[in-house]
Amino acid sequence: MQFIDRTRVIVKAGDGGHGKSAFRREKFIPKGGPSGGDGGRGGDIIFVVDQNMNTLLDFRYHRKFKAENGENGDIKNQYGKNAPACYVKVPAGTIVKDEETGEVLADLTEIGQEAVICKGGRGGRGNAKFANAANRAPTFAEFGEPGEARNLILELKLLADVGLVGYPSVGKSSLVASVSAARPEIAEYHFTTITPVLGVVKTDYEKSFVMADIPGLIEGAADGVGLGHDFLRHVERTKLILHIVDASGIEGRDPVDDFYKINAELKKYSEKIARRTQILVANKIDLPEAQENLPRLKALAEKEGLKFFAISAATREGVKELISYVGEWLDNYVEEPEQEEEVKVYDETAEDPDKITITRNDAGDFIVHGKAIEKLVIMTNFNNDEAVRRFQYIWRIKGIDEKLRERGIKEGQTVRIGEMEFEYRE
């Protein structure tokens, strides 16, 4: 199965249904009055973690998701039906980002976890809602509010307890294959493993942990060299790093130099990763050449304050002791929240909806920005005189004329709000 860990999708929540403008006319009910019902709410876009997914491959073929619109209101105060939510299934470990702003909208890590990514539009109010003592027979109703739309970037960060890092061909895949049921491709050439490999390792009858082989780390990985730039993100969620080096050095590389080069890449990519606990694992000790480097690697571990294990993934020498220690370490692991980076999560209430700002474009037009006023423009029927008068009243109440005059607007200049434009008149 192809592994996809980053993709782009487009989502659009449903629009609200339009309100109805109607009057009750029945034989024995004089002066029935306005009876137009409200429109229904548009469907939300909700991302949910599915236990049957472990890759973003499905989004390669299905990139657009749109929720249904709410139904329009009807006569006799009949409300339109609310539209159902559109659920988008993602694997555990998915981060949802807004492509335009880069904001993290959701970090989905647990099976069944849900996050509303786009809110459906509110249904427009029917004319019955606008009846009052001053206007007992309003003839206008609101249009439905458009649903939110976003371009998203989905990133998958594997949820593994232990991550294996190291140069290609040091034996990471061989170790995963020897301690779990995973069967990654193993061959004597670089970049045999081109996708992350997960293996479940059992430490005893009831306990186990997940080990991930992170492929393609070489010098320059943090800058996009090799495959490491694509997969370094998967190390971020691991609790423990097993740093694998080739003790034999049969490919002409020095294992001590390899250790420092890989750690330099980890630090360059993320200080958080660089602080993670590491265990230095010298692999291929079954080869005669390894005996020359083992004393140097032990000295390196002592110098850096790391636990050291010498193993052979091929013959399984020392592997049982390594796995036993890792299992014990994970049993005693305590999360350190003070070291966790603060994640900026999307909050639709963070912006004041009544805040109004005015800017100018290259043509000299005045652009009025404000969540509430832009929504009002979208939901107003400008073909209805009563609706226009209501809009003008709200315009004055918000003091937008004064704000425009403060910006130096002159008679006849153009004002834009969303898709609407008009000439300014005193």
Side-chain angles (χ1 to χ4, degrees), residues 69-268:
N69 298 333
E71 289 186 356
N72 296 334
D74 211 338
I75 61 174
K76 296 184 180 180
N77 289 309
Q78 296 179 80
Y79 284 24
K81 183 180 179 181
N82 293 335
C86 173
Y87 286 89
V88 181
K89 297 178 181 179
V90 295
T94 300
I95 292 179
V96 184
K97 293 182 178 180
D98 186 292
E99 184 179 33
E100 182 179 351
T101 65
E103 284 184 307
V104 174
L105 307 182
D107 189 355
L108 304 170
T109 59
E110 300 178 3
I111 300 299
Q113 184 179 354
E114 296 182 1
V116 178
I117 301 301
C118 285
K119 299 282 288 184
R122 176 175 66 83
R125 290 174 289 181
N127 67 330
K129 286 289 179 66
F130 295 101
N132 53 45
N135 184 6
R136 297 184 178 183
T139 62
F140 67 93
E142 286 181 327
F143 291 142
E145 177 189 6
E148 295 178 338
R150 293 180 181 275
N151 292 340
L152 304 174
I153 297 295
L154 305 185
E155 290 185 354
L156 177 61
K157 295 183 179 181
L158 295 180
L159 299 176
D161 300 300
V162 179
L164 307 184
V165 301
Y167 265 82
S169 299
V170 296
K172 301 189 298 296
S173 297
S174 299
L175 178 58
V176 173
S178 69
V179 299
S180 73
R183 290 295 173 261
E185 183 181 356
I186 299 172
E188 294 181 356
Y189 58 86
H190 287 189
F191 301 115
T192 310
T193 307
I194 59 174
T195 64
V197 175
L198 288 178
V200 178
V201 183
K202 283 189 173 291
T203 55
D204 57 33
Y205 182 72
E206 294 182 342
K207 294 182 180 180
S208 62
F209 62 86
V210 179
M211 177 182 288
D213 171 9
I214 311 300
L217 296 189
I218 60 174
E219 190 174 8
D223 298 318
V225 179
L227 302 174
H229 183 72
D230 294 326
F231 300 120
L232 271 168
R233 70 173 69 94
H234 295 303
V235 188
E236 292 188 76
R237 294 195 190 274
T238 59
K239 301 171 183 175
L240 177 67
I241 294 176
L242 299 189
H243 195 137
I244 314 296
V245 295
D246 180 359
S248 69
I250 57 174
E251 295 197 2
R253 294 197 314 268
D254 179 43
V256 175
D257 288 343
D258 285 356
F259 173 84
Y260 284 113
K261 287 176 180 177
I262 293 296
N263 272 316
E265 294 303 320
L266 294 177
K267 185 175 182 179
K268 190 173 184 180

Side-chain angles (χ1 to χ4, degrees), residues 58-77:
D58 290 353
F59 296 99
R60 169 168 284 191
Y61 310 105
H62 188 187
R63 293 180 181 272
K64 295 182 179 180
F65 299 87
K66 186 179 186 304
E68 296 179 19
N69 298 333
E71 289 186 356
N72 296 334
D74 211 338
I75 61 174
K76 296 184 180 180
N77 289 309

Side-chain angles (χ1 to χ4, degrees), residues 385-400:
D385 290 340
E386 274 195 75
V388 172
R389 286 196 293 272
R390 174 176 177 265
F391 174 81
Q392 291 172 334
Y393 172 74
I394 296 174
W395 177 275
R396 290 193 300 271
I397 291 297
K398 290 183 175 292
I400 299 177

Side-chain angles (χ1 to χ4, degrees), residues 17-69:
H18 298 328
K20 182 73 173 180
S21 179
F23 288 87
R24 190 173 184 182
R25 295 182 179 91
E26 296 183 28
K27 186 174 181 180
F28 299 107
I29 304 180
K31 301 179 182 179
S35 63
D38 298 349
R41 187 177 187 86
D44 297 334
I45 298 289
I46 300 177
F47 278 56
V48 57
V49 178
D50 189 302
Q51 63 180 351
N52 296 317
M53 295 182 67
N54 53 20
T55 175
L56 299 176
L57 179 63
D58 290 353
F59 296 99
R60 169 168 284 191
Y61 310 105
H62 188 187
R63 293 180 181 272
K64 295 182 179 180
F65 299 87
K66 186 179 186 304
E68 296 179 19
N69 298 333

Side-chain angles (χ1 to χ4, degrees), residues 344-414:
K344 186 177 183 180
V345 179
Y346 169 66
D347 180 8
E348 66 173 347
T349 64
E351 180 183 352
D352 182 5
D354 293 322
K355 181 181 179 181
I356 293 175
T357 57
I358 298 174
T359 59
R360 301 191 70 175
N361 60 15
D362 295 337
D365 299 338
F366 290 79
I367 316 297
V368 178
H369 304 276
K371 191 172 182 179
I373 193 67
E374 290 177 20
K375 184 185 296 186
L376 177 66
V377 167
I378 292 171
M379 300 179 73
T380 297
N381 181 3
F382 287 97
N383 293 320
N384 183 286
D385 290 340
E386 274 195 75
V388 172
R389 286 196 293 272
R390 174 176 177 265
F391 174 81
Q392 291 172 334
Y393 172 74
I394 296 174
W395 177 275
R396 290 193 300 271
I397 291 297
K398 290 183 175 292
I400 299 177
D401 279 334
E402 297 177 8
K403 291 181 171 63
L404 287 169
R405 286 193 289 268
E406 289 173 3
R407 292 298 302 265
I409 195 169
K410 304 297 183 185
E411 186 87 8
Q413 288 187 301
T414 301

